Amino acid sequence: MIIALIFILLFQYVYNDDHLQFGFGTVATASFKNYHIRVKQPISCENSVQYSGYIDNLVTNEHVFFIFLESRFAPKTDPVILSLNGQLGCSSITNVWFETGLCLVKKAGIETNPFSFNNIANILYVDQPTGVGYSYSSGKKPSTCAQVTETIYWFLQSFFTEFKQFARNDFHIAGTSYASHFVPSLATHIIRENRYASSSNKLPIQLASIILGNGYINPRAHKLSYAEYSCDDNKYKPIYDKVTCQKMKTNRRQYSCYSEIQDIVNYANSQEMKTEYGIDSEAGEFQNCNSHVKARFDMTKDSLVNTMDQIEKVLATNIRVLVYAGDMNWYNNWYGQTDWLSKLDWIGQVGFNDAKDKDWFSYVSGQKAGTVKSFLNLSFVKVFNAGYYSIYDQPANMIDLYSRWVMNVSLGY
Ligand SMILES: *[C@@H]1O[C@H](CO)[C@@H](O)[C@H](O)[C@H]1NC(C)=O
Ligand SMILES: *[C@@H]1O[C@H](CO)[C@@H](O)[C@H](O)[C@H]1NC(C)=O
């Protein structure tokens, strides 16, 4: 693992612009009952293997778009990370060009990403719920977490049937912000289905961990934390000095306007890009966030659901759980995370609450990158100088965090 991390460091310096371009076209199709998969191998700004495509559900008429980046080093054995973005109704595909993909869309143009997550794993990005990003539906329009869970589950079954070579690898589900609401639900669904996989003719999914980044878990804890986190002169003492408070407030404003997002939306809508990645015209205009999808979920009050009991089930099944929060992030801030974590009802509750914060030194940046509190299979990481988009703010430290987590190497000393 250390070798992989050193390579990431070197890669920043040795990478040059000689692009090796892959062929373009449909590399695989498979029809099996009720599902159809369409796959392309798009060319990008660098030479890693990537696939894009749709899995069609012929019964519900949902068409779920994905991008899959093969790991640069050992795709056959490296884990698969499913990467889901919040906020509710916002595209996971945006992340490919914003934080963790091969090529990032910057003000100055497309740049290769030295901290691309395929340095450490195979990465699967899926636009969900159906209706978001490039995914679309001419039939069923989801409005609850349970429906999203079902959709991602049949998506994964179809995906791993087609890409059998990855079906036995460790599988991690990572979701940020509102996607952290879907992740525990998906994990418990997988745990349940795995039990009957052989009798129901399904592929068991090798769930190894869930990762909840700046996650939306317990509505009440998050809501209460806003007062606590804020710097106003109320019953809570300000937690930071004036300068830090000012920085945080600035960051909070920036939340909705990390400036590259609009450039990414423009890029995602270019005809060249749509052709390259095989986007169906029925998907319509690419929007980073779809307000109709959000409105449907708001109608069912999905956002009021507390997913702690599902996280408890995940821990009880010996699946590891990583929770992280950027210390400068206001939404779902670390105060609220600390609160619900302390109330989590599991075998390690007392031990976790008694555990001390340890320093996390990043191998990649050589810096003190945050703190970690761990007990048994639960870890909480506070990421220093990171806001809502923690990976965007701290790419070197965040790839260090993810790589050590998926390899189960301790973060704190
Ligand atoms: C933690 O998870 C691992 C497998 O991921 C399991 O072997 C171990 O028993 C778990 N530990 C506890 C205390 O739950
Ligand atoms: C992860 O590491 C811890 C501590 O080294 C160990 O107890 C645990 O069993 C490991 N889990 C897995 C899944 O390897």
Side-chain angles (χ1 to χ4, degrees):
M1 180 213 46
I2 307 236
I3 291 171
L5 290 174
I6 289 169
F7 186 88
I8 295 166
L9 277 175
L10 287 177
F11 184 74
Q12 298 172 65
Y13 301 109
V14 301
Y15 189 83
N16 66 39
D17 264 343
D18 282 340
H19 302 157
L20 196 158
Q21 304 207 323
F22 279 88
F24 176 59
T26 301
V27 297
T29 57
S31 285
F32 43 104
K33 202 168 169 271
N34 298 340
Y35 303 103
H36 186 242
I37 180 165
R38 298 175 277 140
V39 184
K40 305 191 85 162
Q41 203 172 342
I43 297 165
S44 81
C45 77
E46 65 112 298
N47 64 2
S48 291
V49 177
Q50 62 169 338
Y51 301 98
S52 67
Y54 282 96
I55 298 185
D56 308 301
N57 182 327
L58 306 177
V59 174
T60 61
N61 283 317
E62 290 175 277
H63 310 276
V64 178
F65 183 79
F66 69 92
I67 291 180
F68 181 75
L69 305 182
E70 258 192 34
S71 176
R72 206 187 285 289
F73 297 103
K76 287 200 181 92
T77 50
D78 279 347
V80 176
I81 302 178
L82 171 65
S83 171
L84 301 174
N85 262 14
Q87 317 144 55
L88 181 52
C90 299
S91 168
S92 297
I93 297 299
T94 305
N95 196 299
V96 176
W97 300 298
F98 185 59
E99 286 185 314
T100 57
L102 305 173
C103 314
L104 302 181
V105 175
K106 297 285 185 187
K107 282 269 164 263
I110 309 291
E111 290 175 9
T112 56
N113 179 11
F115 304 113
S116 165
F117 270 29
N118 84 324
N119 285 300
I120 59 166
N122 301 288
I123 313 289
L124 177 59
Y125 304 86
V126 179
D127 262 341
Q128 56 68 52
T130 316
V132 165
Y134 292 128
S135 292
Y136 64 98
S137 168
S138 48
K140 186 173 151 189
K141 304 222 187 316
S143 60
T144 65
C145 185
Q147 290 166 343
V148 173
T149 298
E150 241 173 68
T151 300
I152 302 178
Y153 185 74
W154 63 248
F155 173 92
L156 291 173
Q157 286 294 319
S158 313
F159 181 85
F160 284 124
T161 302
E162 183 62 31
F163 289 89
K164 278 199 178 55
Q165 64 272 37
F166 301 110
R168 290 179 164 277
N169 303 20
D170 274 1
F171 183 70
H172 301 264
I173 314 173
T176 55
S177 180
Y178 204 94
S180 294
H181 188 85
F182 302 139
V183 170
S185 167
L186 177 62
T188 50
H189 190 74
I190 288 172
I191 290 164
R192 213 166 34 238
E193 292 289 333
N194 275 356
R195 284 197 194 116
Y196 310 107
S198 56
S199 59
S200 60
N201 228 352
K202 296 208 173 95
L203 285 171
I205 293 174
Q206 307 301 323
L207 184 63
S209 90
I210 62 172
I211 301 172
L212 310 169
N214 294 312
Y216 181 71
I217 310 293
N218 175 330
R220 188 177 150 80
H222 298 308
K223 196 163 168 220
L224 290 174
S225 73
Y226 294 136
E228 201 164 6
Y229 193 88
S230 80
C231 305
D232 298 337
D233 195 14
N234 56 29
K235 68 175 173 143
Y236 301 102
K237 284 206 172 74
I239 51 171
Y240 287 126
D241 60 24
K242 282 217 169 67
V243 177
T244 313
C245 280
Q246 198 47 49
K247 260 165 87 182
M248 262 169 1
K249 283 181 177 159
T250 315
N251 192 287
R252 178 187 162 189
R253 274 202 302 278
Q254 282 171 353
Y255 153 80
S256 55
C257 47
Y258 277 76
S259 65
E260 285 92 354
I261 298 279
Q262 189 51 48
D263 299 311
I264 291 170
V265 170
N266 296 343
Y267 177 73
N269 274 313
S270 68
Q271 197 46 55
E272 192 189 348
M273 168 35 237
K274 286 188 169 177
T275 307
E276 191 65 44
Y277 282 77
I279 309 304
D280 289 345
S281 60
E282 292 87 337
E285 190 192 338
F286 180 91
Q287 295 173 297
N288 181 39
C289 300
N290 183 316
S291 56
H292 299 296
V293 172
K294 182 177 183 307
R296 273 198 293 279
F297 279 74
D298 287 345
M299 297 258 283
T300 66
K301 300 205 173 8
D302 186 73
S303 69
L304 300 183
V305 176
N306 177 349
T307 59
M308 277 169 67
D309 57 335
Q310 292 165 336
I311 297 171
E312 288 160 2
K313 277 186 200 139
V314 171
L315 281 167
T317 323
N318 291 336
I319 305 290
R320 298 188 302 132
V321 176
L322 169 64
V323 177
Y324 69 79
D327 67 345
M328 308 298 255
N329 178 40
W330 190 79
Y331 284 92
N332 313 328
N333 61 59
W334 66 265
Y335 259 63
Q337 306 292 349
T338 308
D339 181 46
W340 72 258
L341 280 166
S342 72
K343 293 174 180 146
L344 207 56
D345 184 7
W346 66 297
I347 192 173
Q349 182 174 23
V350 172
F352 182 82
N353 289 341
D354 286 348
K356 296 269 169 294
D357 281 349
K358 291 179 180 170
D359 289 334
W360 156 40
F361 284 93
S362 158
Y363 295 149
V364 177
S365 70
Q367 292 164 352
K368 184 170 159 184
T371 58
V372 55
K373 179 169 164 148
S374 276
F375 191 69
L376 301 178
N377 283 334
L378 176 65
S379 292
F380 173 61
V381 172
K382 199 194 296 175
V383 185
F384 289 167
N385 296 311
Y388 179 77
Y389 291 112
S390 297
I391 300 174
Y392 177 92
D393 291 331
Q394 296 296 335
N397 293 339
M398 290 305 288
I399 200 170
D400 183 88
L401 171 60
Y402 270 76
S403 69
R404 284 157 79 172
W405 176 258
V406 297
M407 293 180 210
N408 195 23
V409 172
S410 166
L411 280 179
Y413 301 100

